Amino acid sequence: MINFASDNVTGASPEVLQAIIQANAAAPRMPYGNDAHTDLIEERLSELFETEVKAYLVATGTASNALALASLAPPWGAIYCHEQAHIQRSECGAPEFYTGGAKLVPLPGAQGKLWPEALHEAIDRRDDVHRVQPAALSVTQSTETGTLYRPDEVAALAQVAAEADLKVHMDGARFANAVAALGCSPAEISWKSGVDVLSFGGTKNGCLSAEAVIFFRPELARNAARQRKRGGHLLSKMRLLSAQFEGYLAEDAWLQRAAHANRMAGRLLKGLQDIPGVELVYPVEANQLFPRFPSGVAQKLNQAGFLFYANMLEGASRLVTAWSTTEEEVDHFIAAVREAVAEA
Ligand SMILES: Cc1ncc(COP(=O)(O)O)c(C=O)c1O
């Protein structure tokens, strides 16, 4: 069976499992993050991002986004995001719940991206007790349609945000794929471009279940520890979550794994582009592809055991490659598409 449904259909990478095994074998440690593994993660992330950060590990991307936003927006705040944003479409109201009621304001934007002019126009600056007050901007990197924001694009959005006193959050569930594709440093595409808080994904790229909420401005993290506890994500065995990030960050595994996933997406793109009748709806810039297949082809492939979400956006299917995707899987899938299209 070949599964391109998402990059979380995979298990954990060997280096992450090895790090958990090592941490697990050690003598008993104090709970709730009072351990050497957890201390180390903040240090490692500070090195990686070339600035002193405050970092809080959680077990899901949803909690990571919701906690980040809870640090940026009051209950009467407005959080501007793309209409396709995961926080808007796929988190069951967790951001609203964790913030105590802040309002997400979804905005349209080509290729899954927000554009500065549209953001500028959308921000409702009226200081009116009847209206939610502008509080935050959230961008997804890489986006839900598999595209990328370049550093100057993030900076342009952050500039508009700053003018309206909005804090900037980045949903980086696939941040690693973005960094690998852009070839820039993690710092350049985050705080140097104006991002205040980053949800740095691990689970989709080799962790068992670990995500980091990274604050580039320590004052914004004032309540983060208590919010995480209230949100049920202060794990008593935090060291085993931290160990995952130890394995993930060591020897740039996070970046290498993401670069591999991107390469597999590139290979898939090359194969699909050569098949008449298959149209790519969005540019393929990281590890997600949105092909529109001729009628009936996606269903036929699904029935033949090739798993992916058909009819995901604009009539296109979604294919996601992962750290564990092999060239053989990609080639096998391309051959199956070619055959299914020929028979359609
Ligand atoms: C862009 C994006 N953000 C956040 C998440 C949330 O992750 P989780 O499913 O771990 O809550 C996902 C998961 O699919 C995602 O694609």
Side-chain angles (χ1 to χ4, degrees):
M1 188 200 289
I2 293 180
N3 196 329
F4 291 133
S6 185
D7 31 11
N8 55 18
V9 301
T10 63
S13 61
E15 63 274 11
V16 166
L17 285 180
Q18 194 51 42
I20 298 173
I21 289 168
Q22 266 169 18
N24 187 61
R29 295 278 187 266
M30 292 307 281
Y32 301 111
N34 295 308
D35 66 88
H37 297 284
T38 304
D39 291 344
L40 197 72
I41 293 310
E42 209 161 65
E43 263 175 50
R44 292 260 160 92
L45 288 171
S46 296
E47 282 163 22
L48 181 64
F49 283 90
E50 304 170 59
T51 187
E52 206 163 309
V53 303
K54 297 291 294 172
Y56 298 83
L57 294 183
V58 294
T60 70
T62 298
S64 170
N65 283 338
L67 280 169
L69 292 169
S71 296
L72 304 185
W76 53 87
I79 299 168
Y80 299 91
C81 63
H82 194 276
E83 60 191 2
Q84 302 293 357
H86 198 272
I87 57 169
Q88 158 71 6
R89 285 169 54 112
S90 309
E91 296 190 353
C92 197
E96 292 90 332
F97 178 63
Y98 275 59
T99 55
K103 186 176 172 66
L104 297 192
V105 182
L107 306 176
Q111 300 184 349
K113 288 160 69 169
L114 292 170
W115 301 93
E117 302 73 24
L119 175 65
H120 179 80
E121 267 175 40
I123 297 172
D124 185 346
R125 296 169 181 76
R126 280 170 288 190
D127 182 9
D128 173 351
V129 73
H130 299 281
R131 293 170 193 277
V132 286
Q133 295 300 296
L137 161 70
S138 180
V139 292
T140 310
Q141 178 75 309
S142 59
T143 71
E144 286 78 4
T145 60
T147 53
L148 295 171
Y149 288 100
R150 271 83 196 153
D152 61 318
E153 291 174 323
V154 176
L157 285 166
Q159 174 71 34
V160 174
E163 283 160 14
D165 208 16
L166 303 182
K167 312 286 190 312
V168 181
H169 167 246
M170 180 172 273
D171 173 355
R174 297 188 178 88
F175 183 77
N177 302 91
V179 173
L182 289 166
C184 63
S185 71
E188 272 175 276
I189 193 61
S190 58
W191 65 274
K192 286 189 179 173
S193 298
V195 174
D196 297 310
V197 185
L198 168 69
S199 297
F200 181 27
T203 311
K204 292 179 191 299
N205 191 33
C207 288
L208 195 63
S209 181
E211 312 279 319
V213 186
I214 303 177
F215 290 86
F216 300 112
R217 288 167 52 189
E219 73 276 13
L220 296 175
R222 240 187 331 264
N223 301 320
R226 285 193 180 78
Q227 270 159 337
R228 179 176 63 173
K229 173 66 185 174
R230 274 171 65 88
H233 277 262
L234 177 60
L235 272 68
S236 59
K237 293 190 184 177
M238 185 59 82
R239 63 191 178 281
L240 298 181
L241 208 63
S242 302
Q244 295 181 48
F245 251 72
E246 247 179 286
Y248 188 52
L249 297 177
E251 294 173 32
D252 280 345
W254 66 280
L255 193 57
Q256 305 304 332
R257 295 292 190 185
H260 171 84
N262 292 352
R263 273 195 301 278
M264 292 303 102
R267 191 177 178 97
L268 202 44
L269 172 65
K270 206 157 167 284
L272 293 178
Q273 270 174 336
D274 286 346
I275 303 176
V278 178
E279 181 200 350
L280 272 302
V281 170
Y282 304 113
V284 178
E285 298 185 326
N287 67 324
Q288 298 187 81
L289 299 89
F290 290 82
R292 201 182 281 135
F293 295 119
S295 174
V297 166
Q299 292 68 23
K300 200 165 174 188
L301 290 164
N302 281 166
Q303 280 158 15
F306 297 98
L307 300 185
F308 56 88
Y309 292 110
N311 208 354
M312 182 99 173
L313 282 175
E314 299 188 39
S317 297
R318 186 184 75 161
L319 308 174
V320 191
T321 53
W323 64 270
S324 58
T325 303
T326 63
E327 292 184 355
E328 291 70 30
E329 285 175 319
V330 170
D331 296 348
H332 188 43
F333 181 76
I334 293 165
V337 174
R338 195 180 293 282
E339 201 179 304
V341 169
E343 287 169 5

